[in-house]
Structure formats: structure tokens, C-alpha cells
């Protein structure tokens, strides 16, 4: 089975053809809908783009954290180029492929990619007797392990399905929506292992009392080079999965609005990439065309693993 999700990722928005024209604009600014909450990876990526977007639009950026109803809210927004959503691409693609929710990401308008490709890592608490992937595989085959993750319809769902297929086991899911939830589940020993975004484990950032066992990218992270990839450990090439943080607008956006929005996000990219913490978050801007290419690749891969995700 080939599983290569190079999305990475993943979320994007765009605005402005010419800076002077935007500076004179007295209309509304840009509203960005963010589903995962303040302090989430998408929110932190958006914060790095915010200064450049505010400069481009000549207005303060309005950020609305709208949770599970975010896609529906954008679907109902006027296609006037003033409202976009930033999401983890793989999570929303999986949700659509498996029939979760009424709003469909495929019906929205691609704008840009903000960060990615990025992977998740399988981690255990520092004090765990599980020290390596070999230990984990042995423990999993000896009895059901509990894994903390946001759900099987999240970006961690594909890695979980891949592990179950490779090991011939079924894991017990522990619902953990946020990073804090994951760490709490590990600390309380409710979960034997968990998934965290690989970038949050890199040296120089927040410390966490966890030990990464494998990452699920196609290659080892150069700043976490001692941690092998999953496909290395199972000796099955192409068993990798990544996602991206991306931006969409409502359906019905005309070409002028798409170009304006894309230009604003792309132009804000260099400053975002140079900001402190950008390397850990994988800032890597791309335009609407690149986002569509990523979605096409993801669609082919998700189709191959769709039965595992249901």
C-alpha cells in the first residue's frame, strides 16, 4: 500500500493586487476562521503571517475560533474576498472522505499553503518501559495499547491505521484534542503512547516529558535525526504521511479575489518564515496552484487507505 501524503501539512488566505490600492481601501479587512483554538499549531502559524497580512490589507486581522462549525461558517460566508479559513489539510480531507460533517473542503476555493509538509511523531512518556519501536511493537502484540490522539478522522488517523495494519493489532483510542490533553493522558498513564506534531518536539522549543519513537514523514527530520521514520522500521517504502496548514475561501470567489488573497499571503510569507519559531512550525508558503496539486495527490492516497480509516 502506498501512503504518501505530501500535503503537509496544513492552511491559507490571500489579499491585494497592489499595495497602494489596498492602503487606500476603506472597506472591511480580512477575517480568518480558525477551527482548532487559540494556541493550536494553525493559530501559531497564522500569528506569524498576521503582521504581513495586516500591512497588505491596511486593516487589523480578525481571527475567529469557531471549532467544529468552522467549515460550515465559511461555506455560508459571502464570496467577497474578505473571509477565509485556515485548516490542517489532511484532517479535513480525511473527514470528507469518510463522510464526516456536512461542509466539504472540496467545495471551497483554494487560496494558499502556509506551512508544511509536516509529520506527526509517535511518542511515549519519558518513564515508559517502551524505549524504541521494537519495544512498542512487542508490547502492542502482547496486549492492546491505548493511544492518545484527536480521533481517527484527524491527521493522526492515517498513521494509526498504518501501525495497525503493519502490526496486525487494534489500538484503544484515548480522545485527546489538544497537546495539553495528550501530555495529560500520558502523564496519568491513561495512554501508553500518543501522537504529537513532530515540529513541536524539535530542540530549542517547548520541552515535553516524552520520548519520540518514530516519525511518519518520508525522511528523518534533520533536527531530530536520531529518531527513525515509521517506514524505516517496518521496511516498507512509501508508508509515510504528511499534512499542511492551508487557506481556503468560500465557493464562488472570482479570479480577482483569489489572486488578491493569494498575493497577500504569499507576500507575507518571507517575514513569517524569518520570524522566531518559524522553522519549528515549518513555514513554507505556496500559491493556490500548489495547493490544488497537493489536494490531488492527497485524494489518490486517501482513496488507497479509505477502508482503513472507516
Amino acid at each position: 500500500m502506498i501512503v504518501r501524503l505530501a500535503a503537509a501539512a496544513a492552511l491559507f488566505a490571500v489579499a491585494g493586487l497592489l499595495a497602494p490600492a489596498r492602503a487606500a481601501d476603506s472597506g472591511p479587512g480580512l477575517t480568518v476562521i480558525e477551527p482548532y483554538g487559540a494556541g493550536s499549531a494553525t493559530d501559531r502559524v497564522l500569528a506569524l503571517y498576521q503582521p504581513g497580512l495586516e500591512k497588505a490589507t491596511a486593516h487589523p486581522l480578525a481571527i475567529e475560533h469557531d471549532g467544529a462549525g468552522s467549515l460550515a461558517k465559511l461555506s455560508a460566508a459571502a464570496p467577497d474576498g474578505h473571509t477565509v479559513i485556515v485548516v490542517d489539510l489532511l484532517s479535513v480531507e480525511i473527514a470528507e472522505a469518510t463522510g464526516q460533517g456536512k461542509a466539504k473542503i472540496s467545495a471551497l476555493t483554494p487560496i494558499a499553503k502556509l506551512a508544511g509538509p509536516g509529520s506527526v511523531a509517535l511518542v511515549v512518556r519519558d518513564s515508559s518501559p517502551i524505549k524504541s519501536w521494537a519495544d512498542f511493537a512487542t508490547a502492542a502484540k502482547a496486549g492492546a495499547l491505548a493511544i492518545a490522539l484527536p480521533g481517527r478522522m484527524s491527521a493522526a488517523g492515517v498513521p494509526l491505521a498504518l501501525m495497525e495494519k503493519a502490526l496486525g493489532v487494534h489500538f484503544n483510542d484515548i480522545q485527546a484534542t489538544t497537546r495539553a490533553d495528550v501530555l495529560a493522558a500520558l502523564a496519568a498513564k491513561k495512554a501508553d503512547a500518543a501522537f504529537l506534531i513532530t515540529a513541536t518536539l524539535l530542540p530549542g522549543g517547548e520541552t515535553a516529558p516524552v520520548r519520540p519513537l518514530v516519525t511518519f514523514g518520508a525522511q528523518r527530520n534533520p533536527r531530530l535525526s536520531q529518531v527513525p521514520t515509521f517506514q524505516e522500521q517496518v521496511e516498507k517504502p512509501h508508508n509515510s504521511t504528511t499534512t499542511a496548514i492551508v487557506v481556503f475561501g468560500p465557493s464562488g470567489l472570482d479570479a480577482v479575489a483569489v489572486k488578491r488573497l493569494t498575493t497577500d499571503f504569499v507576500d507575507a510569507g518571507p517575514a513569517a518564515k524569518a520570524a522566531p519559531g518559524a522553522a519549528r512550525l515549518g513555514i513554507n508558503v505556496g500559491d493556490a496552484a500548489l495547493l490544488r496539486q497537493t489536494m490531488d495527490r492527497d485524494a489518490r492516497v486517501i482513496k488507497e487507505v479509505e477502508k482503513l480509516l472507516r
Side-chain angles (χ1 to χ4, degrees):
M1 175 181 58
I2 297 175
V3 180
R4 179 168 300 186
L5 299 180
L11 309 140
F12 39 96
V14 199
L17 292 173
L18 297 174
R22 295 304 299 274
D25 185 4
S26 60
L30 183 63
T31 296
V32 181
I33 301 169
E34 194 286 319
Y36 312 112
S40 65
T42 53
D43 185 53
R44 291 159 64 190
V45 166
L46 184 58
L48 297 183
Y49 280 84
Q50 185 168 354
L53 291 172
E54 291 182 341
K55 180 178 179 180
T57 61
H59 287 284
L61 192 68
I63 301 174
E64 300 179 357
H65 303 293
D66 285 292
S70 294
L71 284 176
K73 183 173 183 177
L74 183 71
S75 297
D80 56 11
H82 292 292
T83 306
V84 297
I85 192 170
V86 57
V87 294
D88 173 87
L89 181 59
L90 184 57
S91 292
V92 293
E93 288 175 321
I94 290 172
E96 179 168 327
T98 53
Q100 307 296 307
K102 296 180 179 179
K104 297 186 180 299
I105 196 71
S106 58
L108 303 179
T109 304
I111 301 297
K113 184 186 80 169
L114 303 186
S119 70
V120 297
L122 178 70
V123 303
V124 295
R125 59 186 176 277
D126 273 341
S127 60
S128 172
I130 297 173
K131 306 296 183 184
S132 66
W133 170 259
D135 290 347
F136 178 84
T138 299
K141 292 176 180 179
L145 297 181
I147 311 292
L149 74 164
R152 291 186 179 242
M153 298 306 117
S154 71
V158 173
L160 186 69
L162 290 176
M163 292 197 310
E164 289 183 335
K165 182 176 179 61
L167 298 175
V169 303
H170 179 80
F171 295 107
N172 295 326
D173 303 358
I174 302 297
Q175 183 71 27
T177 304
T178 67
R179 178 183 172 85
D181 293 340
V182 167
L183 295 177
L186 289 171
K189 299 184 179 181
K190 292 181 179 179
D192 300 292
F195 291 105
L196 288 175
I197 296 171
T198 303
T200 66
L201 303 172
L202 298 179
E206 306 169 49
T207 58
V210 298
R211 178 188 304 111
L213 301 180
V214 291
T215 61
F216 285 83
Q219 299 177 335
R220 294 191 185 198
N221 188 300
R223 298 181 63 198
L224 212 62
S225 59
Q226 78 280 11
V227 180
T229 65
F230 170 76
Q231 65 181 14
E232 283 181 76
Q233 297 300 80
V234 298
E235 298 181 346
K236 292 181 178 179
H238 312 308
N239 270 232
S240 61
T241 174
T242 56
T243 189
I245 294 175
V246 299
V247 180
F248 284 86
S251 61
L253 277 180
D254 61 34
V256 173
V258 172
K259 181 173 178 60
R260 176 166 53 83
L261 284 168
T262 300
T263 299
D264 282 354
F265 275 93
V266 170
D267 287 352
K273 193 168 185 177
R280 285 168 48 77
L281 292 170
I283 299 300
N284 184 20
V285 70
D287 62 15
L290 180 61
L291 176 57
R292 286 191 290 270
Q293 291 172 13
T294 299
M295 293 173 69
D296 289 342
R297 287 194 297 269
D298 285 359
R300 293 192 294 270
V301 175
I302 290 174
K303 187 174 182 179
E304 294 178 26
V305 297
E306 192 171 349
K307 291 181 179 179
L308 295 177
L309 295 171
R310 289 188 181 278

